[in-house]
Amino acid sequence: MPNPSPSGRVVVTGVGAVTPLGTGLDVFWPRLLNGESGIAPITLLDVSEYPTRIAGEVKDFEAEKWIDKKEARRIDRFLAFAAAAAQMALDDACFPDDEELKLDTGVLIGSGIGGLTTMGEQTRRLHEGGPGRVSPFLVPYMIPDMASGYVSILNQLKGPNTCVVSACSTGADALGTAYHIIKRGDATAMVCGGAEAPINEIGMSGFCAARAMTTNNDDPTGASRPFDARRDGFVIAEGSAVFVLEDLDHALQRGANILGEIVGYGMSGDAYHITAPDPDGDGAMRSMKMALLRAGIEPRQLGYINAHGTSTLLNDKTETGAIKMALGEAAYSIPVSSTKSMIGHTLGAAGAIEALICLLAMRDGVLPPTINLTDPDPECDLDYVPNASRPATFDYAMSNSFGFGGHNVTLVLKKY
């Protein structure tokens, strides 16, 4: 039978990131605070016939640094991102090479859409050469849960090995679910987060057909403009963020460096539309209220909100209204920013990357900006930290993630 966490508290002891602004915190974080954009013309495929030709590509990634060279050439890109971010997180945590601990350490790395590149390549092989040309690795490299499975195998982690898929809420749900696994005593530690690599023929075709992406191809760095009146859609991006979560008592016992704490996790459903958010913002509001209730804090105690902030016409207006409903008058005094303005939308990895940003912001006492906010939408009237970082000291941060299908997830993180 599981033994509930002795402390009931779950802390972050290691983090790793692969993003369009760089691989590793030492590259990614300063560029983010400097308001730099990772959005540029797409180089991973020929997009001359696509209405959207820009994205947040990971430009400095060398998979061979993290995994076997032969394996690096073969596996799907999202798996390589997950493996690299997980290794960075484990190294950052100075995680012990202890067989007993590995038995009690699980993996939960989600992906919104999994190995689309593998699926596209193997579908092409099928059409060109018949079923005998399809790789036996098609299924394992395509399925979203293989990020967890692969990281588990690479690191011999034998605790709970699972996956969540909730579209663009996946990364946040992965952290929240891992948090609960530790709290209820099913694991002492969890390696968790999100990974996504959707910049390929099938991914670009699908999102272009959905008409959700910007077509501002002539101004890549200015194309993602959350809360701005001239926004015209999101910018697709790729990457990964992975956390090492541990029971507080275990982290203290081994002398781990504690980066922060997860204290609240809220989730809800819109039950409205397969792609559009409920314009009333009711579901988003409820996920925020639930996260605050679980954290045991009042809205005024929040010092920062990392918004879902996709730069789409519907999301930014709806999220603004939901924040007001959830927080009341406090909404006007709490800084909010959308770091998707610099990174783009990494889909299933976004919630994990943005939770990481919340932790780093609390640690360093600085608020990352919303860049490209030059013509504010009158219906988006909160403090969005426009265009430049801002110093601030605070103890609690909130991160919102919303996804196709009406998924709403909110995390509350605390400075340790």
Side-chain angles (χ1 to χ4, degrees):
M1 293 294 290
N3 296 311
S5 159
S7 68
R9 295 171 66 181
V10 178
V11 294
V12 182
T13 57
V15 289
V18 177
T19 81
L21 285 175
T23 297
L25 302 191
D26 57 336
V27 181
F28 154 69
W29 184 233
R31 293 189 67 193
L32 188 88
L33 292 182
N34 198 40
E36 297 181 38
S37 174
I39 312 304
I42 291 172
T43 62
L44 291 171
L45 68 151
D46 177 6
V47 289
S48 56
E49 296 184 6
Y50 291 72
T52 295
R53 299 184 292 278
I54 58 173
E57 293 180 344
V58 175
K59 299 256 188 344
D60 64 343
F61 185 71
E62 297 177 43
E64 296 85 356
K65 286 185 177 181
W66 313 100
I67 51 182
D68 175 77
K69 189 173 182 179
K70 182 179 178 182
E71 187 88 341
R73 290 196 302 267
R74 189 169 61 192
I75 65 171
D76 195 273
R77 192 167 167 88
F78 96 103
L79 293 176
F81 288 161
Q87 189 59 59
M88 281 184 263
L90 288 163
D91 291 345
D92 188 43
C94 298
F95 204 71
D97 186 15
D98 178 89
E99 292 305 314
E100 188 173 344
L101 178 57
K102 288 180 179 181
L103 287 171
D104 204 27
T105 298
V107 186
L108 204 170
I109 301 172
S111 179
I113 49 183
L116 277 190
T117 300
T118 296
M119 184 177 74
E121 289 173 350
Q122 296 304 316
T123 300
R124 188 180 302 111
R125 282 192 179 195
L126 172 65
H127 291 160
E128 292 175 354
R133 292 284 296 155
V134 173
S135 169
F137 294 105
L138 164 60
V139 173
Y141 289 168
M142 177 186 70
I143 51 181
D145 70 287
M146 194 50 65
S148 294
Y150 190 53
V151 168
S152 168
I153 293 165
L154 286 178
N155 297 282
Q156 289 297 286
L157 304 175
K158 299 181 180 180
N161 178 359
T162 187
C163 170
V164 294
V165 177
S166 52
C168 302
S169 300
T170 296
D173 259 332
L175 296 178
T177 303
Y179 158 78
H180 277 306
I181 287 172
I182 294 172
K183 279 181 71 75
R184 69 178 181 244
D186 287 345
T188 295
M190 292 291 293
V191 177
C192 54
E196 205 78 89
I199 306 170
N200 45 51
E201 287 88 349
I202 191 69
M204 289 297 298
S205 297
F207 281 108
C208 283
R211 299 183 180 179
M213 294 197 296
T214 178
T215 54
N216 188 7
N217 300 302
D218 296 331
D219 182 21
T221 61
S224 182
R225 41 194 327 110
F227 310 111
D228 190 272
R230 291 182 294 153
R231 67 191 186 277
D232 72 329
F234 78 89
V235 176
I236 200 167
E238 60 180 0
S240 177
V242 173
F243 286 47
V244 174
L245 300 185
E246 293 184 53
D247 173 73
L248 173 62
D249 287 350
H250 181 267
L252 292 173
Q253 184 180 15
R254 72 176 189 90
N257 177 39
I258 296 174
L259 304 173
E261 184 174 357
I262 296 181
V263 293
Y265 171 41
M267 55 198 305
S268 70
D270 279 351
Y272 176 74
H273 190 271
I274 59 171
T275 57
D278 180 350
D280 292 336
D282 175 71
M285 176 268 291
R286 286 185 288 109
S287 76
M288 284 184 258
K289 283 197 165 186
M290 180 184 291
L292 288 170
L293 178 66
R294 297 290 181 255
I297 65 170
E298 298 295 326
R300 58 182 173 75
Q301 292 176 264
L302 287 173
Y304 171 61
I305 300 170
N306 190 293
H308 188 55
T310 58
S311 186
T312 61
L313 292 173
L314 288 176
N315 174 89
D316 296 1
K317 179 175 67 173
T318 300
E319 185 173 10
T320 296
I323 290 171
K324 292 177 188 176
M325 288 191 294
L327 307 185
E329 284 301 313
Y332 290 95
S333 62
I334 300 169
V336 180
S337 70
S338 172
T339 44
K340 288 185 178 74
S341 59
M342 297 169 277
I343 298 170
H345 193 352
T346 56
L347 310 181
I353 292 173
E354 290 157 12
L356 169 58
I357 289 167
C358 288
L359 280 180
L360 298 176
M362 285 189 287
R363 181 195 70 181
D364 293 348
V366 60
L367 302 173
T370 305
I371 68 167
N372 302 321
L373 183 47
T374 55
D375 183 13
D377 183 338
E379 293 188 87
C380 299
D381 58 350
L382 300 178
D383 174 9
Y384 302 111
V385 196
N387 303 308
S389 297
R390 181 190 305 168
T393 301
F394 56 103
D395 294 327
Y396 292 95
M398 172 185 282
S399 183
N400 281 332
S401 298
F402 311 132
F404 283 1
H407 306 291
N408 304 296
V409 177
T410 301
L411 296 170
V412 175
L413 301 104
K414 182 182 179 183
K415 186 176 182 179
Y416 185 78

